[in-house]
Amino acid sequence: MPLAELQKLITDSKALAINLEGNLLDLSALKDINPESTIGLIQPPSKEALEIYRHSTSHVLAHAVKELFPDARFAIGPATEEGFYYDIDMSHTLTPEDLLEIEKKMSQLIKKNSPFIRKTMGKGDALELFNSKGESYKVEILQEIQDAEVTVYEEDGFVDLCRGPHLPRTGMIKAFKLLSIAGAYWRGDEKNKMLQRIYGTAFFTKDELKAHLDFLEEIKKRDHRRLAKELDLFSINEDIGSGLILWHPAGATIRRTIEDFWRQEHERANYSILYTPHIARLNLWQTSGHLDFYRENMYSPMDIDNVSYELKPMNCPFHISIYKSSLKSYRQLPIRYAELGTVYRYERSGVLHGLMRVRGFTQDDAHIFCSEDQLDNEILNLLDFTLFILSTFGFSSYDIYLSTRPEKYVGSLDNWEKATEALKKAIELKGLPYKIDPGEGVFYGPKIDIKIKDSLNRSWQCSTIQVDFNLPDRFDVTYRGKDGKEHRPIMIHRALMGSLERFFGVLIEHYKGAFPLWLSPIQVIVLTISEKVSDFAKAVYANIRQSGIRVEINEENEKIGFKIREATLKKIPYQVIIGEKESLEGKITLRSRKGDNLGYMNVDELIEMLKKQINDKV
RNA sequence: GCCGAGAUAGCACAGUGGUAGUGCAGCCGAUUCGUAAUCGGCAGGUCGUGGGUUCGAAUCCCAUUCUCGGCUCCA
């Protein structure tokens, strides 16, 4: 294609950059390339275009900061999935007000519409340039670059080390916003200096930016910590300690409902349900190896009659002890032990987050002891079981990861191979998409992790299925085979919801506090229009309560509109309204929390309908 | 843990050296009402905790606990 024609196409298409055989280049590179070569256009709204756009915005950010705070030195400033950031080292500590000033300065620089000018220079020259500017972080980066030549970008006199590509001009930035300031270690390593990070985002249009900011607002409204306060679900108390959860009546009701469901399904799936203690002698953790490889997550031991005891960070050794309490025959396998086991793990104070990351939590843990030839089938069933449980709670899309053998490992290569194959086969048989995390398995065996994405777009690991070649050896776990000899069983650890705390947190955000009927702490509320109908309303209430449905009554001296508002804010799924008409005819009027009028009916009809819905878990 | 911000009534927040405030929730009273807020009154706080500066501290300083944002994205 002739150059001129291409130029026109680029102008028409609003392309920001070009793709030359897989290399992204500035539009200005066009004049130097072979007209015969195949060129792709990078244009909005593609991901690549947005990345370039945001990256350029981060350069403008750096420029603005430099103008306002001349002693600022710059580290890295990349585009991210949600926007961009720049890490900066400077004497002034940034405040939210500074962000407004910086935004203003950025707008001025954008208004100037300066071109981004790409320059190639020898590494030595670049080192000299950034050294003279005192840009020690850029110098450090440069020193690690192997190439003899590097590129820098200049815009209105501000020079930054950068591979590019960039927008042709700053004026093309139409919508951006600085969002927050945070600390971040240089190169993410806590041994390094902490820099100030400015987060921002940018979009091609103001409308898109607004939509994104609205989305962030919606995310805040969905925050499980906020909803938990509004709905009185749980709390964390300073006097009790951080990362320790107090389950309030409403939250506890939901938890109990989840637990009941869990128990029922596990019994149906041939698990034996156990209870084990919360502490154990230090020796146990020595045998299990946790003291060697898990110590930093364990609390200090406590002394009981001169013997050290440790709060349990895991349930596995207890289950193994139960297994070993009697001789096991191959006829008994597979043995499936399950427990809602409460464990305590040390988490650094800065990473604690509501229910999502806590220090004491209850795992829906289980350990399966099986023979080699049972492994495939066990894993397949397990995956089925996991997906069934997750989908019952309304989660239908997951990120599945298969983690394979790391460099440091125990167990035979042969066993690793078999187990990894079994995991892989199970996922593929179910036709599920998955990614392989090479070398990310635990040292004791390969695993499948299933992650649920929450509304804050964080991935939370819930389910995990791990094969373990370590503990059976360490604890000398055996079974008597058909041949009368001792054999080593294969052990599978698994948790479906992960922890009840985190799972509950994800559920709250998933449903925005409006739980499905079967989980709702209050399933129905009876509302009276006037005190004249109290007697009938009480009878209706008692009738529903007798049927085992979680019902409340509000016969206060308030207007019906007020009562409906209150019930709706509590996100109670069904509201039974009783006025004179109902009282006289012995019927009820039903309303949903969404505001739908669900009709006029007998109490028996209502109970039957609710029971069916609760049973179906819809 | 580290950087930064914060902690005031049950909840949401205002108050920046001189008598602790507003709204909602709560309690009492009036109203007896038909699908998201009826009206009036009352009560509620040693301002996270400990120490200091000051005639005087919610406010300034130090310590401490807890909470929040972030600490993977590689010129």
Side-chain angles (χ1 to χ4, degrees):
Chain A
M1 186 185 291
L3 209 55
E5 206 172 303
L6 196 60
Q7 278 292 8
K8 186 176 178 310
L9 187 68
I10 284 170
T11 318
D12 292 349
S13 68
K14 295 185 180 130
L16 305 179
I18 52 174
N19 180 343
L20 177 66
E21 285 149 16
N23 294 318
L24 300 188
L25 299 173
D26 296 310
L27 287 186
S28 60
L30 205 57
K31 58 185 187 309
D32 304 322
I33 62 179
N34 182 348
E36 301 301 307
S37 43
T38 324
I39 294 169
L41 298 179
I42 306 295
Q43 55 192 322
S46 76
K47 223 179 139 188
E48 289 90 349
L50 190 59
E51 205 174 307
I52 292 167
Y53 184 85
R54 286 172 170 169
H55 187 192
S56 295
T57 313
S58 87
H59 273 239
V60 175
L61 164 63
H63 187 176
V65 169
K66 188 75 187 172
E67 298 252 311
L68 293 166
F69 307 98
D71 77 337
R73 286 178 297 146
F74 298 95
I76 57 169
T80 65
E81 258 175 57
E82 303 259 293
F84 60 87
Y85 67 80
Y86 220 118
D87 283 349
I88 305 161
D89 188 8
M90 61 182 185
S91 55
H92 173 75
T93 302
L94 289 164
T95 65
E97 292 75 51
D98 291 330
L99 287 190
L100 296 176
E101 284 306 306
I102 297 168
E103 277 184 357
K104 244 189 235 168
K105 183 59 85 183
M106 286 172 73
S107 299
Q108 286 167 18
L109 293 170
I110 288 166
K111 214 170 178 184
K112 278 191 179 172
N113 198 16
S114 319
F116 278 96
I117 303 159
R118 180 175 194 267
K119 287 179 184 165
T120 308
M121 57 173 76
K123 191 176 151 185
D125 293 341
L127 273 169
E128 204 174 303
L129 173 72
F130 286 102
N131 242 324
S132 73
K133 289 174 176 291
E135 289 286 358
S136 49
Y137 298 98
K138 297 293 179 190
V139 168
E140 209 181 311
I141 292 162
L142 265 168
Q143 278 162 348
E144 282 176 20
I145 296 176
Q146 302 296 324
D147 311 339
E149 287 211 318
V150 299
T151 57
V152 301
Y153 278 79
E154 181 184 332
E155 142 274 322
D156 194 26
F158 178 77
V159 184
D160 198 353
L161 177 68
C162 187
R163 184 164 42 204
H166 275 287
L167 300 176
R169 311 184 75 89
T170 57
M172 293 173 76
I173 300 169
K174 299 296 179 202
F176 74 95
K177 175 125 185 87
L178 299 183
L179 298 171
S180 62
I181 310 155
Y185 297 104
W186 166 232
R187 293 178 183 271
D189 187 335
E190 64 184 47
K191 288 187 202 90
N192 291 335
K193 182 165 185 185
M194 182 154 274
L195 310 173
Q196 301 191 64
R197 175 173 295 181
I198 299 178
Y199 279 97
T201 193
F203 287 89
F204 295 120
T205 65
K206 289 217 160 64
D207 285 349
E208 284 170 283
L209 176 64
K210 185 172 180 305
H212 181 72
L213 296 178
D214 288 348
F215 173 66
L216 292 180
E217 213 36 56
E218 170 65 19
I219 278 171
K220 268 191 206 156
K221 279 189 210 147
R222 239 172 223 267
D223 190 312
H224 72 283
R225 295 163 302 181
R226 176 180 172 149
L227 287 167
K229 216 175 256 181
E230 283 170 21
L231 302 173
D232 200 12
L233 300 174
F234 76 90
S235 64
I236 298 169
N237 184 292
E238 187 177 336
D239 291 330
I240 286 160
S242 63
L244 303 171
I245 306 301
L246 297 167
W247 294 72
H248 294 202
T253 299
I254 297 173
R255 173 168 171 167
R256 201 183 55 250
T257 307
I258 295 171
E259 289 182 357
D260 289 347
F261 168 67
W262 183 90
R263 274 193 206 97
Q264 185 192 320
E265 293 304 328
H266 276 70
E267 276 168 1
R268 194 173 286 175
N270 284 317
Y271 281 77
S272 310
I273 293 175
L274 314 174
Y275 295 97
T276 66
H278 286 212
I279 58 172
R281 295 175 62 165
L282 206 60
N283 291 349
L284 182 76
W285 307 108
Q286 219 133 35
T287 309
S288 69
H290 287 104
L291 271 188
D292 299 326
F293 65 82
Y294 209 69
R295 177 156 240 164
E296 58 186 34
N297 285 296
M298 292 167 72
Y299 291 100
S300 325
M302 61 189 108
D303 182 280
I304 300 174
D305 291 342
N306 293 321
V307 179
S308 290
Y309 282 74
E310 182 73 57
L311 213 42
K312 71 170 166 183
M314 306 224 177
N315 304 303
C316 340
F318 299 86
H319 292 193
I320 291 172
S321 294
I322 292 172
Y323 177 97
K324 286 187 51 154
S325 65
S326 68
L327 197 65
K328 294 292 184 289
S329 144
Y330 73 96
R331 292 170 189 276
Q332 289 167 277
L333 300 187
I335 287 177
R336 308 186 188 88
Y337 287 155
E339 178 184 13
L340 292 168
T342 304
V343 297
Y344 294 87
R345 298 180 184 175
Y346 173 73
E347 295 287 353
R348 303 203 297 174
S349 64
V351 304
L352 297 173
H353 179 94
L355 289 173
M356 302 303 199
R357 198 181 273 262
V358 293
R359 283 179 173 162
F361 55 96
T362 301
Q363 293 180 302
D364 65 317
D365 210 356
H367 296 92
I368 298 169
F369 301 87
C370 66
S371 63
E372 275 181 36
D373 54 330
Q374 290 171 331
L375 185 66
D376 281 12
N377 199 33
E378 277 308 302
I379 288 176
L380 192 62
N381 286 343
L382 205 40
L383 198 60
D384 246 346
F385 193 41
T386 309
L387 297 181
F388 161 68
I389 298 282
L390 291 177
S391 63
T392 304
F393 289 99
F395 297 110
S396 49
S397 63
Y398 336 95
D399 288 335
I400 303 181
Y401 298 88
L402 172 63
S403 302
T404 59
R405 183 167 52 81
E407 275 178 37
K408 272 180 72 182
Y409 67 96
V410 298
S412 72
L413 273 174
D414 186 41
N415 273 340
W416 269 89
E417 184 69 23
K418 266 187 212 150
T420 311
E421 263 315 299
L423 292 172
K424 198 168 160 184
K425 236 185 342 197
I427 308 176
E428 283 172 358
L429 217 75
K430 302 263 40 159
L432 296 164
Y434 69 101
K435 286 182 203 136
I436 293 188
D437 251 351
E440 286 301 306
V442 202
F443 74 91
Y444 53 71
K447 61 171 180 173
I448 295 174
D449 285 333
I450 301 178
K451 294 183 183 182
I452 301 176
K453 267 204 170 178
D454 74 8
S455 60
L456 294 172
N457 217 14
R458 289 168 306 196
S459 261
W460 289 108
Q461 190 188 311
C462 290
S463 316
T464 184
I465 300 173
Q466 310 182 349
V467 179
D468 187 340
F469 302 124
N470 182 45
L471 289 181
D473 265 347
R474 278 183 166 266
F475 281 96
D476 191 26
V477 181
T478 61
Y479 67 91
R480 203 51 66 93
K482 220 173 192 166
D483 53 7
K485 293 182 185 149
E486 285 197 337
H487 295 267
R488 188 77 78 215
I490 292 179
M491 184 173 168
I492 305 168
H493 306 252
R494 46 112 281 192
L496 310 185
M497 296 180 274
S499 89
L500 291 178
E501 283 74 7
R502 175 178 296 177
F503 194 72
F504 185 36
V506 176
L507 272 181
I508 295 170
E509 300 202 355
H510 187 65
Y511 288 116
K512 206 177 174 180
F515 299 101
L517 185 69
W518 73 286
L519 289 172
S520 287
I522 302 172
Q523 295 168 315
V524 201
I525 188 160
V526 177
L527 308 176
T528 54
I529 287 175
S530 83
E531 284 175 354
K532 288 181 216 154
V533 298
S534 262
D535 287 345
F536 178 63
K538 275 185 190 138
V540 169
Y541 163 78
N543 200 344
I544 301 174
R545 177 152 286 263
Q546 279 311 306
S547 71
I549 290 164
R550 295 189 289 266
V551 60
E552 303 261 300
I553 182 165
N554 182 352
E555 43 175 340
E556 277 173 26
N557 177 9
E558 289 289 352
K559 285 189 165 179
I560 190 68
F562 180 80
K563 294 184 188 181
I564 285 172
R565 180 181 151 80
E566 271 197 321
T568 306
L569 288 175
K570 282 192 204 156
K571 314 208 185 213
I572 299 169
Y574 292 106
Q575 300 158 5
V576 167
I577 293 166
I578 292 178
E580 280 190 79
K581 179 169 149 69
E582 287 81 0
S583 174
L584 287 171
E585 295 177 15
K587 293 196 165 195
I588 59 115
T589 298
L590 192 64
R591 183 188 194 275
S592 80
R593 64 185 156 199
K594 288 187 213 138
D596 303 322
N597 183 345
L598 301 176
Y600 191 56
M601 62 186 83
N602 290 317
V603 182
D604 292 345
E605 290 175 76
L606 170 72
I607 292 173
E608 198 179 319
M609 183 199 101
L610 294 176
K611 276 191 165 169
K612 183 169 185 332
Q613 272 189 40
I614 291 168
N615 197 45
D616 294 350
K617 302 184 172 58
V618 287

